Amino acid sequence: MPKVTVDGQEIEVPDGATVLQACELAGKEIPRFCYHERLSIAGNCRMCLVEVKPGPPKPQASCALPATDGQEIRTDSEMVKTAREGVMEFLLINHPLDCPICDQGGECDLQDQSIAYGRGATRYEENKRAVTEKYMGPLIKTVMTRCIHCTRCVRFSEEIAGVDEIGALYRGEDMQITTYLEQAAEHELSANVIDLCPVGALTSRPYAFEARPWELKKTLSIDVSDAVGSNIRLDSRGREVMRALPRINDDVNEEWISDKTRYQVDGLSKRRLDKVFMRKRGKLQPASWDEAFKAIAKAKPGNSIAAIAGDMVDCETMFAAKTLLKACGSSLIEGRQTGMDYDVSNLAAVNFNSTFAGIETADAILIVGSHIRWEAPLVNVRIRKAVKRGARVFVVGPQWDTTYPAQFLGEDLAVLGELPKDVVDAFAGAERPAIIMGGAALAKGALGAGLAFAETHKLVREGWNGFNVLHFSAARMGGLMLGFAQKGGMKDIAAAGPKVVISLGADEMDFEPFADSLKVYIGHHGDKGAHAADIILPGSSFAEKDGTYVNTEGRVQFAERAVFAPGDAREDWTILRALADALKVEVGFDSFAELQANMIREVPALGEEGLAAYGDLPKGGSTAKAEGRITAYPIKDFYLTNPIARASAVMQQCSSELLGSGELAEAAE
């Protein structure tokens, strides 16, 4: 390890480190605009200048200079101070003086660094240049006159997202950042460039002029729009969530989130259920809590009661429902609302065992029945990293637009048992082979064949487990840990003919088989589930309650309440607790703390943040074969996959403009 001296302090730095990283290890702050830890080095802005000996007697860009043994680095010399002031002066030459109206205000690197490292006043008296605005779609607002050409947005699109949508035109001060033919940025991670932009050139269009960062309350939360469990921060004002931003978690989402995670939050305040409703003479009419509970009790369900968990429910709500049903003498609980019935006797067989960070190191990956780019955009980013390291990717299922080279093996699941020779050779020579089973494969009963594939091709070896199931429901793994699964899935629930069916935000289920049941919907949006219900009890969304969530890799995470639920809506567990009193049964908890303690007592893994241990992968049996064709994937529209997103005006616009036909051309004109 090289030894360097930074401002008189001698330190050791890792091999391959840059001078900038060496300075940071020494505790020195180095200003920068173009440098970012997760992007390639560009060396555009020159703000990170330092003095290095031995070397030329001039300041050098520390981001692009390797740290070598014996270097003497100065970050505080007069030469460095003068050079940084000069660079900042040049960067501000054409920058407009519009900080009071800029949405970046309060979170602007340019503001902060101009105060810390710039001159006190400008000497520029000429006319400033102006750049025409660029259209980048419904999510990204542009004020390109502010752009300082750091190219972070360009490098993100090319290197992380893998979509060459953003680039540069012209040279020098005439350079302009734009999308291809000024069309909308269409990929699922496009809005991350807003966070990356160090100035106010790219800001959030839906959030424009809505709030200032210092007036918002910040709350740590977990995303529930997919099963990745991205770590997010909810910024709220009063009772409204204004925006969702990513939190850094290298194990889960790094520092990115999908556009749906970021922008579905406006749906939290629209089409909300804030009153109790009961169906009278075929129409839903407002009612009181007391009336609703009396009507449920009047049905005298006894042990003929079922609970169906939706895709965005927290573990505490599911456990409260399970406890209530147990007290009633029922075990009719299910979380796979669309009807899947795969074997859950061993949770290791339905888990993403490689982990998100681990899949980056895989060298041969077979994707079966998963449109990963829509089902888990951030897992797709990880696979792209693996490909950049040399991994080969094969896909079974209908074709979709991958962001990396991939070989499609057709739609017939039988290919799992008779792979082409080049695929067999790739897996035979792989040190860390992996398979990813998606929802479309599970629906076709291919789980056993996947396990057989794992056994045949030795996907499990010392220090590596390459068998993965990719769920797209945030509640799935938590529900399975709590036992929300019947052997025959929803068919078993329907066959039991329950008198009362409690739907915990289950909006994707088929209510037809339960025509004779009293359907009680506990949820937060007037979506499909509410339309089919006989009684609606308004609940809380993920932003309005504390809760535990488990992502598709079995990672237990906690979310905090950001705002209070509107109107008469209550936290889901309190509704179930009150329902227990109406049904005259004991559930053993009167507070959230008691409920959580009972849940952890039953499933200890839910009390510890981090990866849950599910044991060894079961043997699949070499005779297990998959049959049938995967003709479609579960997600038809990336932007409208859940009730919150369907209520969001922004998501509706994205769906119409980015996935609709004929809209882009009009927008680009």
Side-chain angles (χ1 to χ4, degrees):
M1 293 175 63
K3 285 185 179 179
V4 300
T5 305
V6 181
D7 294 344
Q9 178 187 349
E10 189 176 79
I11 60 164
E12 275 191 343
V13 297
D15 291 323
T18 63
V19 169
L20 187 150
Q21 290 167 327
C23 293
E24 290 198 327
L25 285 171
K28 305 293 180 181
E29 184 183 17
I30 303 294
R32 85 291 299 266
F33 292 113
C34 69
Y35 176 80
H36 192 277
E37 291 82 355
R38 301 186 197 273
L39 304 175
S40 62
I41 294 168
N44 289 338
C45 71
R46 322 305 289 180
M47 197 63 207
C48 63
L49 294 173
V50 295
E51 190 180 347
V52 181
K53 292 177 182 176
K58 64 176 185 180
Q60 298 185 68
S62 59
C63 67
L65 188 65
T68 57
D69 200 48
Q71 278 179 330
E72 291 181 28
I73 305 162
R74 301 295 311 185
T75 68
D76 55 359
S77 67
E78 191 61 33
M79 180 197 290
V80 172
K81 182 176 179 294
T82 307
R84 287 175 181 173
E85 286 178 355
V87 168
M88 181 62 73
E89 194 170 12
F90 276 119
L91 288 175
L92 291 172
I93 275 179
N94 287 309
H95 198 84
L97 296 174
D98 61 352
C99 295
I101 62 161
C102 178
D103 270 317
Q104 196 85 353
E107 297 173 323
C108 179
D109 291 347
L110 191 63
Q111 276 185 333
D112 297 342
Q113 293 184 39
S114 65
I115 290 170
Y117 303 103
R119 292 175 56 88
T122 181
R123 297 178 291 181
Y124 188 70
E125 295 178 354
E126 311 301 319
N127 292 328
K128 291 177 179 272
R129 73 152 191 180
V131 182
T132 55
E133 299 314 330
K134 314 296 181 187
Y135 182 74
M136 289 194 181
L139 304 179
I140 305 169
K141 181 185 174 207
T142 66
V143 185
M144 299 315 290
T145 301
R146 299 173 185 157
C147 179
I148 62 168
H149 306 158
C150 72
T151 68
R152 279 186 180 183
C153 53
V154 177
R155 284 175 284 149
F156 173 83
S157 296
E158 290 178 356
E159 297 167 13
I160 307 297
V163 182
D164 293 338
E165 287 184 336
I166 302 177
L169 298 174
Y170 318 124
R171 300 185 67 181
E173 81 156 2
D174 296 322
M175 178 175 163
Q176 298 182 26
I177 304 292
T178 183
T179 51
Y180 182 66
L181 294 179
E182 292 195 29
Q183 289 185 342
E186 295 179 42
H187 63 84
E188 303 77 22
L189 302 169
S190 65
N192 285 289
V193 299
I194 296 167
D195 298 330
L196 285 172
C197 185
V199 298
L202 305 176
T203 55
S204 173
R205 190 180 288 276
Y207 176 71
F209 309 127
E210 289 291 327
R212 288 297 196 185
W214 53 81
E215 60 185 7
L216 301 177
K217 185 182 88 172
K218 283 84 171 170
T219 309
L220 308 184
S221 190
I222 302 296
D223 171 47
V224 296
S225 65
D226 57 31
V228 173
S230 299
N231 288 216
I232 58 173
R233 191 188 85 197
L234 295 177
D235 288 3
S236 57
R237 184 175 62 192
R239 294 180 69 167
E240 186 179 2
V241 176
M242 303 299 293
R243 61 179 182 174
L245 296 176
R247 289 189 286 133
I248 296 176
N249 187 329
D250 287 332
D251 294 325
V252 184
N253 56 306
E254 298 179 285
E255 59 185 272
W256 322 121
I257 52 173
S258 74
D259 291 351
K260 181 167 53 181
T261 303
R262 188 185 297 267
Y263 285 116
Q264 69 174 5
V265 292
D266 72 308
L268 289 169
S269 57
K270 296 179 176 70
R271 287 167 50 181
R272 286 302 301 269
L273 299 172
D274 58 358
K275 289 189 180 77
V276 177
F277 287 90
M278 290 178 65
R279 196 172 295 278
K280 300 174 183 175
R281 294 180 292 280
K283 288 187 177 180
L284 288 168
Q285 307 283 349
S288 69
W289 285 99
D290 198 43
E291 279 181 276
F293 288 139
K294 279 179 179 173
I296 299 169
K298 193 178 175 183
K300 296 181 179 176
N303 62 1
S304 184
I305 183 170
I308 315 298
D311 289 346
M312 298 191 292
V313 190
D314 57 295
C315 292
E316 284 80 3
T317 297
M318 288 188 280
F319 181 75
K322 181 184 177 181
T323 307
L324 173 64
L325 264 66
K326 189 178 178 182
C328 294
S330 170
S331 60
L332 295 174
I333 52 176
E334 180 57 69
R336 299 165 296 179
Q337 53 174 323
T338 53
M340 291 190 284
D341 59 354
Y342 47 84
D343 182 21
V344 295
S345 55
N346 187 328
L347 293 189
V350 290
N351 186 48
F352 202 96
N353 295 294
S354 297
T355 72
F356 300 153
I359 201 69
E360 292 181 12
T361 65
D363 45 7
I365 303 171
L366 177 65
I367 301 169
V368 186
S370 178
H371 186 335
I372 291 187
R373 194 170 159 185
W374 278 9
E375 293 172 16
L378 295 171
V379 176
N380 197 58
V381 167
R382 303 279 192 169
I383 295 173
R384 178 172 161 78
K385 282 189 186 179
V387 171
K388 288 170 82 173
R389 290 174 174 161
R392 291 187 65 188
V393 177
F394 309 94
V395 185
V396 178
Q399 292 211 11
W400 47 278
D401 190 11
T402 61
T403 56
Y404 38 79
Q407 182 180 336
F408 283 82
L409 305 177
E411 299 176 1
D412 194 344
L413 281 165
V415 75
L416 285 175
E418 45 197 53
L419 290 171
K421 186 176 181 305
D422 63 326
V423 182
V424 173
D425 291 345
F427 274 86
E431 291 182 9
R432 296 167 82 85
I435 186 173
I436 299 174
M437 308 285 292
L442 297 180
K444 292 286 184 182
L447 182 61
L451 289 167
F453 178 92
E455 202 170 322
T456 305
H457 296 276
K458 297 181 174 58
L459 266 59
V460 180
R461 49 188 76 178
E462 192 176 348
W464 176 249
N465 187 338
F467 184 83
N468 303 296
V469 169
L470 183 65
H471 301 291
F472 45 84
S473 162
R476 181 71 74 247
M477 285 306 294
L480 295 179
M481 289 172 74
L482 289 166
F484 265 73
Q486 300 289 315
K487 191 173 181 182
M490 289 295 291
K491 289 177 186 171
D492 281 6
I493 304 288
K499 291 180 183 177
V500 174
V501 175
I502 300 173
S503 167
L504 303 172
D507 288 282
E508 320 303 329
M509 67 178 278
D510 181 11
F511 285 90
E512 241 180 73
F514 305 100
D516 299 330
S517 306
L518 179 70
K519 296 175 282 296
V520 180
Y521 180 80
I522 302 175
H524 40 78
H525 276 80
D527 207 80
K528 301 170 187 174
H531 290 187
D534 300 310
I535 297 175
I536 294 173
L537 305 176
S540 301
S541 72
F542 77 101
E544 295 150 8
K545 58 186 174 185
D546 296 326
T548 305
Y549 299 91
V550 187
N551 74 355
T552 191
E553 57 174 357
R555 187 178 300 277
V556 179
Q557 303 184 109
F558 304 125
E560 298 173 8
R561 181 175 62 198
V563 293
F564 288 96
D568 292 335
R570 301 179 182 177
E571 290 185 40
D572 301 338
W573 76 268
T574 64
I575 299 172
L576 293 161
R577 176 64 186 85
L579 185 54
D581 285 346
L583 296 174
K584 295 182 169 56
V585 294
E586 290 289 330
V587 287
F589 59 85
D590 294 311
S591 67
F592 182 79
E594 285 180 7
L595 168 65
Q596 201 173 51
N598 290 354
M599 179 184 75
I600 294 168
R601 199 175 298 118
E602 184 168 311
V603 187
L606 291 174
E608 295 180 31
E609 265 190 310
L611 292 172
Y614 298 133
D616 296 331
L617 196 70
K619 302 288 183 185
S622 53
T623 57
K625 292 183 179 178
E627 296 176 347
R629 298 175 68 85
I630 297 173
T631 55
Y633 296 112
I635 295 178
K636 305 292 187 290
D637 187 322
F638 170 72
Y639 298 102
L640 304 176
T641 55
N642 62 66
I644 300 174
R646 289 191 284 268
S648 163
V650 179
M651 291 293 96
Q652 291 282 356
Q653 188 182 353
C654 286
S655 174
S656 168
E657 186 173 331
L658 304 181
L659 300 181
S661 57
E663 297 284 337
L664 282 175
E666 185 183 341
E669 284 171 4

